[in-house]
Amino acid sequence: MNDWKIIKLEDCDSTNSYAKELRKQGLLEGRTAIMSGWQTKGRGQATNSWFSEKNQNLLCSICLKVSIPASEHFILNVFTSLTLIELLGKYDIKGSIKWPNDIYVDNQKIAGILIENSLMGAQITETIIGIGLNVNQQNFPDTIPNPVSMHQLKSRTFDLQEILTALLHILEKAFAQEEQPMRQQAFNSYLLNLYKLNTWSLYRTNDQNFEGRIIGVKPDGRLIIETDGGKLKLFEFGEISFLI
Ligand code: BTN
């Protein structure tokens, strides 16, 4: 744990954007975690924003040098999602991974992940792993769909610094799994922790609703759904929404 550089900010636009700026200026050395009490332009997937009350939640970006073929980018998502599942487990909270970037507890979202990579040719050389984890916030605006926080689940306040330290500890173990068999094992646990795995449910794609059940995820990150006609369909990020 002692080779992490930790940058603590009172506020910033977005910890991921801050990290990108540092990288642009050549100031990101080694393993760095940037944590902010508040973000004025917190970013979510696609054009979504990330809302969090001041000093209540974990808002961080973890910057790592890696060497991963771009075709295997999804392993970063696998390691990060499993890190969050293990972290929540440490606080006796059973999370599940809502493909592709969310962590749920039952049917509510407790965390979101925004991974942004730098490539050199076909190789990912640096990654910025943005994590927003709802920790101590007790009330959320109605505009946020189905949020939940650790405080709402456990009726107590958590120390954000302690959570970050635990997160980095788990994450560095996850990212040390360089050998293929370990990665395969991580991928298998990712599948076992998937939200709605094998559960018939309603989805929407191309403006049409359909019933299906998630039966897995391809190593490249595409979601595999069996439809009620027995066909298997593959979906990329952004191609499908969960309706219930
Ligand atoms: C999502 O659910 O769409 C992903 C949300 C990711 C939010 C985190 S908060 C810390 C980091 N900085 C950002 O601007 N976004 C990520």
Side-chain angles (χ1 to χ4, degrees), residues 14-16 39 42-45 50 60 102 109 112-113 130-132:
S14 139
T15 54
N16 270 38
Q39 299 181 126
R43 294 190 285 117
Q45 290 296 324
W50 184 257
C60 68
D102 297 341
K109 177 163 169 173
I113 300 167
I131 295 174

Side-chain angles (χ1 to χ4, degrees), residues 37-193:
W38 195 50
Q39 299 181 126
T40 51
K41 281 193 193 150
R43 294 190 285 117
Q45 290 296 324
T47 53
N48 294 339
S49 49
W50 184 257
F51 169 82
S52 168
E53 261 177 17
K54 241 179 204 176
N55 301 324
Q56 297 300 307
N57 300 316
L58 184 69
L59 305 168
C60 68
S61 295
I62 297 157
C63 314
L64 297 173
K65 300 227 185 289
V66 292
S67 177
I68 294 177
S71 57
E72 293 172 25
H73 70 94
F74 192 66
I75 196 69
L76 297 171
N77 197 307
V78 168
F79 287 158
T80 307
S81 303
L82 288 174
T83 295
L84 285 166
I85 296 294
E86 188 175 333
L87 177 74
L88 290 170
K90 208 174 128 56
Y91 298 99
D92 199 24
I93 296 172
K94 172 87 188 91
S96 65
I97 303 165
K98 178 166 179 269
W99 180 93
N101 291 297
D102 297 341
I103 303 297
Y104 266 43
V105 177
D106 296 323
N107 288 312
Q108 291 179 292
K109 177 163 169 173
I110 195 160
I113 300 167
L114 178 66
I115 298 180
E116 298 184 291
N117 296 323
S118 300
L119 290 166
M120 214 184 291
Q123 202 74 3
I124 303 172
T125 51
E126 283 179 88
T127 184
I128 296 173
I129 300 170
I131 295 174
L133 171 65
N134 296 332
V135 180
N136 291 322
Q137 188 161 334
Q138 293 181 51
N139 297 295
F140 291 87
D142 294 341
T143 45
I144 301 186
N146 59 357
V148 72
S149 69
M150 292 170 65
H151 192 294
Q152 287 175 326
L153 294 167
K154 292 286 159 192
S155 308
R156 74 168 176 98
T157 301
F158 295 84
D159 182 321
L160 295 176
Q161 178 62 57
E162 182 196 305
I163 291 183
L164 178 70
T165 305
L167 174 90
L168 295 179
H169 194 69
I170 301 169
L171 187 115
E172 67 184 13
K173 270 192 304 161
F175 274 76
Q177 300 175 102
E178 285 177 355
E179 308 296 328
Q180 197 46 43
M182 290 166 102
R183 288 194 176 179
Q184 185 58 48
Q185 222 178 334
F187 191 73
N188 294 344
S189 349
Y190 177 91
L191 297 180
L192 289 175
N193 281 288

Side-chain angles (χ1 to χ4, degrees), residues 214-228:
I214 295 175
I215 58 162
V217 174
K218 289 266 182 196
D220 64 6
R222 284 176 300 166
L223 184 69
I224 315 169
I225 294 201
E226 180 187 344
T227 63
D228 52 4

